[in-house]
Amino acid sequence: MIHLKNSAQITAMKDAGRITGEALLLARDMVRPGVTTYEIDEAIRRYIEKCGAKPTFLGYGGFPASACISINDEVIHGIPSKKRVLKEGDIVKIDTGATYHGYVGDSARTIPVGAVSAEARKLIEVTRNSFFKGVEQVKIGNRIGDIGAAIDGLVVANGYTTVKRYVGHGVGEEMHESPDVPNFGTAGRGTRLCAGMTIAIEPMVNVGREDVRELPDGWTVKTADGSLSAHYENTIALTSDGVLILTQVEKDF
Ligand code: MG
Ligand code: MG
């Protein structure tokens, strides 16, 4: 069942979204060669708690940290560690969430570590652009399939692949609510979009094949062929006045 939110609930989600977005800005500003993923995770946790919110990821399904931090061919769900040191040329995906007054924000970014390859820069850019292609389809009366078709269309046009195994989702009082929001699909198909829907759109894009595998740690997901992967996610709300991107606090990020 889809939990539609009224305007008071969407106002509460704006706060959760803003805190989540600010935590990611702070994380971005820490990214440089020599920093561990543990240090970034700790800073995110402290910031969210300082805001009076709860790190949504901490303990979720047993996850041991406040952010998923995934490097290069790791797609999602990387576990922060004192042993994971960022190095020049890496790309790092940081995915986090904050729960504030009972509502969740969920957002991710891919950040270059120092100077990265032209391929890595293009991948990050295409992944981000594919998110906004999807958002263009978020209109009352459109369908879930319109979002995925737009995302996948841009990805494929750039010679990349969209991960199919993991998808976006409704978000609200829970981090994962109905409906699923795949990053692929058929235009005109699927659940109809209506005012009050709050969803996380989160393209995961690979340079190589779409296949992924989970590591024995039970969390980390990597590309099966070892190719680079990028991720971009925001929590958005569809209202009668249009779309609000709740977790984006800086225009170009
Ligand atoms: Mg996320
Ligand atoms: Mg998500």
Side-chain angles (χ1 to χ4, degrees):
M1 195 182 100
I2 296 172
H3 294 279
L4 298 178
K5 281 77 178 179
N6 62 31
S7 61
Q9 291 171 310
I10 288 175
T11 297
M13 287 193 66
K14 281 182 187 170
D15 289 327
R18 180 182 42 77
I19 294 165
T20 305
E22 287 169 354
L24 281 173
L25 276 186
L26 171 145
R28 175 196 64 185
D29 293 343
M30 288 179 72
V31 167
R32 68 177 67 85
V35 171
T36 67
T37 58
Y38 170 84
E39 291 172 275
I40 295 170
D41 179 67
E42 271 295 286
I44 287 172
R45 180 184 61 77
R46 283 196 300 266
Y47 183 76
I48 291 171
E49 289 176 349
K50 193 183 88 180
C51 294
K54 264 183 42 192
T56 313
F57 290 23
L58 190 58
Y60 187 91
F63 191 74
S66 301
C68 296
I69 307 186
S70 313
I71 302 171
N72 297 336
D73 62 339
E74 296 168 352
V75 179
I76 47 169
H77 300 169
I79 302 172
S81 164
K82 290 178 181 172
K83 293 182 188 143
R84 298 302 301 277
V85 183
L86 299 182
K87 59 181 200 307
E88 181 92 12
D90 286 342
I91 63 171
V92 62
K93 282 131 277 181
I94 304 176
D95 186 353
T96 193
T99 306
Y100 188 70
H101 292 168
Y103 289 91
V104 173
D106 182 13
S107 185
R109 294 291 186 274
T110 302
I111 299 156
V113 183
V116 301
S117 68
E119 181 84 279
R121 280 200 308 274
K122 182 186 164 194
L123 176 68
I124 292 170
E125 179 85 4
V126 168
T127 305
R128 183 178 188 278
N129 290 345
S130 75
F131 165 87
F132 287 99
K133 278 283 177 200
V135 169
E136 281 174 16
Q137 296 300 318
V138 180
K139 294 174 194 165
I140 293 166
N142 270 13
R143 292 180 183 269
I144 287 286
D146 294 312
I147 301 172
I151 290 171
D152 194 44
L154 186 75
V155 168
V156 169
N158 280 278
Y160 297 145
T161 62
T162 301
V163 172
K164 312 293 191 300
R165 172 84 175 72
Y166 298 89
V167 297
H169 49 89
V171 53
E173 292 178 45
E174 301 291 335
M175 177 154 64
H176 295 112
E177 298 185 349
S178 283
D180 279 352
V181 184
N183 301 302
F184 59 96
T186 305
R189 295 286 183 85
T191 302
R192 208 178 274 284
L193 305 178
C194 56
M197 277 181 142
T198 49
I199 57 177
I201 297 180
E202 52 175 314
M204 288 152 261
V205 178
N206 299 346
V207 166
R209 289 191 292 118
E210 69 181 63
D211 308 70
V212 296
R213 64 187 176 93
E214 195 181 284
L215 296 193
D217 66 17
W219 285 102
T220 312
V221 175
K222 281 191 171 195
T223 57
D225 62 6
S227 67
L228 277 185
S229 187
H231 186 199
Y232 187 91
E233 177 183 28
N234 282 303
T235 297
I236 70 169
L238 176 56
T239 75
S240 48
D241 297 326
V243 174
L244 304 170
I245 302 182
L246 303 175
T247 48
Q248 188 185 35
V249 295
E250 195 178 283
K251 189 172 167 289
D252 295 321
F253 184 55

